[in-house]
């Protein structure tokens, strides 16, 4: 499927842009459009869907190797960003980027905070969105084990069906009872059926794709908006799932909205390229967008000569929603692309020097 790679990146872009939007505004200023409630209906689960879409059956043959590869790809970046923000923590406190109540780190506490990332934890304010990283890792680990177990059955399809139903029931039960497990494992279990959904959609994408339409995306988006604004909001960080009956239907409709929007964007060459780049850098945007909000706030405070203490308000101090959207997504991409370019140039020069030396 030629469109697969860019399409998945576009879906990830929709997901990360939705995360930024959800953190930047509750309502669209000047309107009664509750944009935060809408994007929260799918903005995390679309990443579960894309992870399932990219999963291959052969990965389950050696499940622990797969888990190891996922850990190798996620933990180093998690650790690096935690290291950067721990080293900047005292500077952020002194200049009101974060609440003074967070306190100044001494050497011992700083080292402790740096090493905490090894266990997939961080206390840094600007990495608040990073709670999702270990969640996705554990969800993938549980998913591949379920997949491996199901494939051992005489009737694998039945095994997969049992895995999906059990995961859904357990996840819904834990969230309904507001059970808080380490690393929010209750949400990881809740996400297993969505990982399966992504996998099965990939397997039959030729047929599924025919049912993904732009007008279907509009319709599904409208239904999602009506449900989350009239019935209740999905907020997985606090186990809010509307209701055990509505969670999966609303989530699937939200994912269909993303699929339809992604397919529409795919047919616009300029937009598809830009969105693909955003999707490829979704991890970096997740790590940096909250800090970018504060930089935008700082510029506004300096221009308006407002009280610098206003900068401590989290996640942002003002209603500069459109600027937060653009800067929160665009600036991290620019930073990462610049660093990659510098790194490539340095490697090229180093290679030339080595050749000359030899």
């Amino acid at each position: 499927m030629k469109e697969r790679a860019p399409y998945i990146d576009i879906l990830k872009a929709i997901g990360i842009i939705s995360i930024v939007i959800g953190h930047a505004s509750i309502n669209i200023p000047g309107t009664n459009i509750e944009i935060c409630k809408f994007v929260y209906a799918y903005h995390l689960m679309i990443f579960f869907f894309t992870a399932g879409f990219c999963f291959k059956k052969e990965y389950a043959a050696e499940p622990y190797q797969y888990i190891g590869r996922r850990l190798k790809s996620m933990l180093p970046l998690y650790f690096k960003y935690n290291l950067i923000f721990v080293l900047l923590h005292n500077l952020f406190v002194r200049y009101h980027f974060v609440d003074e109540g967070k306190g100044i780190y001494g050497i011992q506490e700083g080292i402790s905070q740096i090493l905490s990332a090894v266990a997939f934890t961080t206390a840094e304010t600007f990495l608040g969105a990073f709670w999702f990283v270990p969640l996705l890792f554990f969800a993938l680990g549980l998913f591949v084990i379920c997949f491996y177990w199901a494939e051992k059955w005489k009737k694998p399809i039945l095994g997969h069906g049992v895995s999906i139903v059990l995961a859904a029931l357990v996840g819904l039960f834990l969230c309904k009872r507001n059970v808080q497990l380490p690393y929010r494992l209750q949400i990881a279990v809740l996400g297993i059926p969505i990982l399966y959904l992504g996998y099965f959609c990939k397997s039959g994408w030729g047929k599924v794709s025919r049912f993904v339409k732009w007008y279907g995306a509009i319709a599904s988006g409208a239904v999602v908006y009506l449900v989350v604004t009239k019935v209740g909001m999905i907020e997985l960080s606090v186990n809010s799932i509307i209701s055990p009956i509505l969670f999966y239907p609303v989530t699937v409709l939200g994912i269909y909205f993303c699929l339809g929007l992604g397919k529409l964007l795919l047919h616009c060459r300029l937009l598809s390229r830009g969105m693909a780049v955003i999707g490829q850098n979704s991890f970096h945007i997740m790590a940096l967008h909250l800090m970018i909000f504060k930089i935008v706030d700082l510029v506004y405070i300096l221009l308006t000569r407002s009280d610098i203490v206003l900068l401590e308000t989290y996640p942002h101090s003002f209603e500069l929603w459109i600027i937060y959207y653009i800067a929160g997504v665009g600036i991290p991409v620019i930073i990462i692309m610049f660093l990659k370019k510098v790194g490539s140039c340095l490697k090229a020069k180093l290679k030339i020097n080595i050749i000359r030396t030899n």
Side-chain angles (χ1 to χ4, degrees), residues 21-36:
I21 289 173
H23 290 160
S25 55
I26 297 175
N27 290 4
I28 294 180
T31 74
N32 291 321
I33 299 174
E34 299 177 274
I35 189 66
C36 182

Side-chain angles (χ1 to χ4, degrees), residues 7 22 56 113 140 148 291 301:
Y7 188 52
K56 296 180 180 179
Q113 293 295 341
L140 287 167
Y148 172 81
M291 184 187 70
I301 285 171

Side-chain angles (χ1 to χ4, degrees), residues 65-80:
Q65 286 187 14
Y66 174 77
I67 293 171
R69 289 197 302 271
R70 297 302 306 200
L71 183 65
K72 185 179 178 180
S73 68
M74 298 169 80
L75 186 58
L77 267 178
Y78 188 98
F79 183 87
K80 288 175 184 177

Side-chain angles (χ1 to χ4, degrees), residues 28-309:
I28 294 180
T31 74
N32 291 321
I33 299 174
E34 299 177 274
I35 189 66
C36 182
K37 288 184 178 181
F38 176 68
V39 298
Y40 271 43
Y42 63 81
H43 74 332
L44 297 183
M45 284 299 171
I46 189 63
F47 286 100
F48 281 75
F49 178 86
T50 56
F53 200 97
C54 295
F55 185 84
K56 296 180 180 179
K57 185 177 180 179
E58 52 264 34
Y59 294 160
E62 298 289 345
Y64 297 108
Q65 286 187 14
Y66 174 77
I67 293 171
R69 289 197 302 271
R70 297 302 306 200
L71 183 65
K72 185 179 178 180
S73 68
M74 298 169 80
L75 186 58
L77 267 178
Y78 188 98
F79 183 87
K80 288 175 184 177
Y81 273 114
N82 183 68
L83 173 63
I84 290 169
F85 281 102
V86 169
L87 293 176
L88 293 173
H89 175 89
N90 291 350
L91 188 67
F92 287 148
V93 172
R94 289 194 181 100
Y95 290 95
H96 302 283
F97 272 64
V98 298
D99 194 321
E100 288 183 346
K102 295 295 182 179
I104 298 293
Y105 289 162
I107 294 177
Q108 184 174 344
E109 187 176 5
I111 293 173
S112 177
Q113 293 295 341
I114 289 170
L115 294 178
S116 69
V118 176
F120 260 140
T121 60
T122 179
E124 296 312 301
T125 300
F126 291 136
L127 294 179
F130 259 31
W131 70 271
F132 178 68
V133 179
L135 166 66
L136 181 60
F137 168 73
F138 284 111
L140 287 167
L142 292 171
F143 169 67
V144 73
I145 291 171
C146 287
F147 202 103
Y148 172 81
W149 169 74
E151 286 293 310
K152 294 295 183 182
W153 284 39
K154 291 182 179 179
K155 295 182 179 180
I157 294 177
L158 178 61
H160 291 303
V162 170
S163 295
I164 292 169
V165 172
L166 280 178
L169 291 176
V170 171
L172 291 170
F173 175 81
L174 292 174
C175 289
K176 183 64 178 177
R177 293 299 183 93
N178 198 26
V179 176
Q180 294 288 352
L181 298 176
Y183 300 104
R184 292 183 173 88
L185 287 176
Q186 70 278 5
I187 307 300
V189 175
L190 195 70
I192 290 173
I194 304 302
L195 284 160
Y196 265 111
L197 177 65
Y199 173 78
F200 287 126
C201 280
K202 182 274 300 285
S203 301
W205 183 245
K207 295 179 179 179
V208 173
S209 180
R210 289 196 292 248
F211 293 96
V212 177
K213 306 292 184 181
W214 65 268
Y215 49 83
I218 294 174
S220 62
V223 172
V224 169
Y225 183 79
L226 286 173
V227 173
V228 298
T229 55
K230 302 299 182 182
V231 181
M233 181 179 176
I234 292 176
E235 170 51 297
L236 296 178
S237 66
V238 293
N239 283 359
S240 177
I241 57 171
I242 302 182
S243 77
I245 295 174
L246 289 176
F247 173 74
Y248 283 113
V250 171
T251 297
V252 171
L253 283 174
I255 290 171
Y256 181 88
F257 166 78
C258 295
L259 292 174
L261 178 58
K263 200 170 183 181
L264 186 63
L265 292 168
L266 189 66
H267 294 301
C268 179
R269 182 174 296 181
L270 183 61
L271 281 176
S272 66
R273 288 180 179 176
M275 290 291 283
V277 171
I278 291 170
Q280 291 160 10
N281 290 283
S282 57
F283 193 104
H284 303 293
I285 296 170
M286 186 178 293
L288 296 172
H289 74 277
L290 292 173
M291 184 187 70
I292 299 301
F293 288 178
K294 289 291 98 184
I295 292 174
V296 170
D297 286 341
L298 177 61
V299 172
Y300 184 80
I301 285 171
L302 294 175
L303 290 175
T304 59
R305 299 182 181 180
S306 301
D307 188 346
I308 192 67
V309 176

Side-chain angles (χ1 to χ4, degrees), residues 9-20:
D9 286 331
I10 289 170
L11 292 178
K12 289 180 180 178
I14 293 171
I16 195 61
I17 290 171
S18 297
I19 287 174
V20 173

